[in-house]
């Protein structure tokens, strides 16, 4: 039996990935994205390659994943690594998140990144971080960013095969220590349309998508500069605009994709001027609200008034660990 373990952080994209190019199986994005790895949301995974298994098995927080989901996500990473190492042995994957599944927070990015690192370790493969990010990407696009800590850029690339669609670290985790992510939980519901299905719908039906891609390309370096210079107001404003731009093309898809709820709209109204904080929403109603540590209490008070059931505070993650357990 070959065994490996790893822990990887979740990440939240400031410049978001929403829409694929080329072969959908390769998760190749239409645009570059930029994310922050989060210290408070992590996944630990143990992978065991075992000759007695007849297929791959994934167990998340003690619950076995259905076979179709196993094949569609984790299976792609495992197949790629089996191909590289020249083995045919199936694997058992045991994964645990350090936050409740019921919180409605996305954990697939951290989970697929941890799986990639743990499996490569189990198979004794010495792959560099660029290669590991490419393999994690094949499992789930946003997972390639969770191979790194700190502030991460995912280059969309142009190749059909995806060998230039990988991530790298832009700034280390301690580059902007005052910056903090506040995650209020308003809804614990699981989303009805997966990111994968949603992106397909937007790519095939949204007339505004082209406009969003122009916006992303025209403001990408401004986002990086705002972080480089630790300029909170500029960063908050751009964070808000990039989130809104993604949710605009979601709404413009047909049939419309709506991931936000009435609490999300309250957050948008409360923080939309970008003065003390900047919010961003993934494909779900719970926001990530970036602010400076000195504003933490003011932001929390507002969120309490809006009816947050729980509030998670996250700093920036230094990155994955290979001694997860
Ligand atoms: P998201 O995190 O993008 O909101 P889900 O939580 O629905 O989406 O996860 C999408 C898929 O990712 C799941 O169906 C599962 O196949 C895979 N996945 C999620 N977490 C893990 C994990 N810890 N290990 C392996 N695969 C995972
Ligand atoms: C809204 O990475 O989950 O979180 O590549 O199909 O697995 P697949 O999609 P996924 O989509 C993430 C979408 C997002 C934005 C982002 O993280 O950039």
């Amino acid at each position: 039996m070959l065994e490996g373990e790893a822990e990887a952080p979740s990440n939240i994209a400031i410049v978001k990935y929403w829409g694929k190019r080329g072969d959908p199986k390769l998760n190749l994005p239409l645009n570059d994205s930029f994310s922050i790895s989060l210290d408070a949301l992590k996944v630990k995974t143990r992978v065991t390659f075992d000759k007695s298994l007849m297929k791959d098995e994934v167990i998340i927080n003690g619950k076995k994943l259905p076979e179709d989901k196993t094949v569609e996500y984790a299976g792609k990473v495992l197949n790629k690594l089996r191909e590289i190492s020249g083995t045919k042995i199936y694997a058992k994957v045991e994964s645990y998140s350090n936050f409740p599944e019921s919180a409605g927070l996305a954990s697939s990015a951290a989970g697929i990144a941890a799986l990639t690192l743990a499996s490569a370790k189990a198979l004794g493969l010495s792959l560099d971080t660029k290669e590991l990010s490419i393999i994690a990407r094949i499992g789930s696009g946003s997972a390639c960013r969770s191979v790194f800590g700190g502030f991460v850029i995912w280059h969309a690339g142009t190749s059909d095969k995806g060998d230039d669609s990988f991530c790298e670290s832009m700034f280390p985790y301690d580059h902007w220590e005052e910056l903090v992510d506040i995650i209020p939980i308003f809804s614990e519901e699981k989303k009805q349309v997966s990111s994968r299905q949603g992106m397909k719908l937007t790519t095939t039906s949204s007339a505004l998508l082209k406009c969003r891609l122009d916006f992303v390309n025209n403001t990408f370096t401004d986002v990086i500069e705002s972080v480089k210079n630790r300029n909170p107001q500029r960063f908050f404003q751009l964070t808000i605009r990039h989130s809104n731009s993604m949710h605009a093309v979601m709404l413009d898809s047909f049939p419309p994709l709506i991931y936000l709820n009435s609490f999300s709209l309250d957050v948008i109204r409360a923080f939309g001027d970008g003065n003390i904080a900047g919010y961003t929403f993934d494909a779900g109603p719970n926001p990530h609200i970036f602010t400076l540590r000195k504003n933490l209490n003011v932001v929390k008070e507002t969120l309490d008034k809006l009816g947050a059931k729980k509030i998670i505070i996250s700093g920036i993650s230094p990155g994955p660990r290979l001694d997860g357990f």
Side-chain angles (χ1 to χ4, degrees):
M1 280 203 283
L2 302 163
E3 194 176 282
E5 294 165 355
E7 177 188 273
S10 248
N11 74 79
I12 177 72
I14 303 300
V15 178
K16 290 170 174 299
Y17 151 53
W18 194 257
K20 302 184 196 197
R21 62 179 178 85
D23 181 352
K25 286 198 212 82
L26 294 175
N27 298 327
L28 298 171
L30 287 172
N31 58 273
D32 293 346
S33 60
F34 179 68
S35 64
I36 300 180
S37 291
L38 301 174
D39 208 22
L41 309 177
K42 300 183 257 207
V43 171
K44 287 178 180 183
T45 293
R46 178 186 293 125
V47 180
T48 315
F49 288 87
D50 180 344
K51 283 191 180 133
S52 70
L53 293 169
M54 306 300 283
K55 55 187 171 195
D56 292 322
E57 272 176 27
V58 176
I59 300 153
I60 304 175
N61 296 325
K63 228 168 73 197
K64 192 162 166 194
L65 199 65
E67 195 180 340
D68 58 331
K69 298 278 183 207
T70 301
V71 170
E72 197 186 334
Y73 293 82
K76 294 211 179 125
V77 169
L78 291 166
N79 283 343
K80 187 72 200 168
L81 289 168
R82 275 190 285 257
E83 183 191 313
I84 296 171
S85 78
T87 182
K88 292 205 160 104
I89 311 173
Y90 289 110
K92 179 176 180 184
V93 178
E94 294 161 275
S95 192
Y96 306 89
S97 51
N98 73 336
F99 52 94
E101 238 179 315
S102 61
L105 296 168
S107 62
S108 63
I112 298 292
L115 165 75
T116 306
L117 300 170
S119 310
K121 193 177 167 198
L123 293 171
L125 299 170
S126 50
L127 301 167
D128 63 28
T129 47
K130 175 179 170 182
E131 292 166 307
L132 289 164
S133 76
I134 288 179
I135 297 165
R137 189 205 75 225
I138 297 169
S140 177
S142 55
C144 66
R145 299 185 306 234
S146 279
V147 169
F148 297 87
F151 299 80
V152 182
I153 182 164
W154 174 9
H155 302 283
T158 53
S159 138
D160 290 344
K161 285 196 257 153
D163 36 340
D164 57 357
S165 185
F166 65 94
C167 299
E168 64 181 327
S169 165
M170 236 5 234
F171 307 106
Y173 79 100
D174 56 357
H175 168 73
W176 195 355
E177 285 179 322
E178 261 291 284
L179 193 67
V180 66
D181 180 14
I182 307 179
I183 311 154
I185 309 299
F186 292 107
S187 164
E188 298 179 357
E189 260 174 58
K190 203 156 167 53
K191 58 178 168 260
Q192 287 177 359
V193 183
S194 72
S195 298
R196 197 157 285 188
Q197 292 167 300
M199 278 187 211
K200 205 165 151 194
L201 194 61
T202 301
T203 316
T204 50
S205 65
S206 168
L208 295 183
L209 181 60
K210 194 192 164 299
C211 189
R212 163 168 160 77
L213 292 173
D214 289 340
F215 171 74
V216 169
N217 293 330
N218 294 336
T219 55
F220 196 85
T221 45
D222 298 341
V223 175
I224 307 290
E225 285 295 302
S226 73
V227 174
K228 184 177 170 203
N229 302 326
R230 301 182 198 88
N231 180 338
Q233 263 73 42
R234 191 77 184 119
F235 175 72
F236 298 155
Q237 272 177 27
L238 286 164
T239 297
I240 289 171
R241 296 210 54 193
H242 274 270
S243 173
N244 291 350
S245 150
M246 181 179 75
H247 287 273
V249 295
M250 287 166 164
L251 184 61
D252 185 50
S253 307
F254 194 80
L257 283 166
I258 302 174
Y259 292 104
L260 306 179
N261 66 16
S262 64
F263 291 113
S264 321
L265 299 184
D266 288 341
V267 167
I268 293 177
R269 285 188 197 97
F271 298 103
D273 62 10
N275 281 334
I276 62 155
Y279 61 76
T280 184
F281 296 85
D282 273 349
N286 298 315
H288 288 250
I289 304 176
F290 283 94
T291 192
L292 300 180
R293 287 188 193 273
K294 64 177 184 201
N295 299 326
L296 207 70
N297 285 337
V298 187
V299 173
K300 271 165 74 181
E301 274 166 33
T302 307
L303 295 171
D304 282 338
K305 280 189 204 138
L306 295 181
K309 293 184 192 167
K310 189 174 177 233
I311 296 178
I312 296 171
I313 313 279
S314 184
I316 301 171
S317 166
R321 292 158 49 125
L322 285 177
D323 56 347
F325 282 74

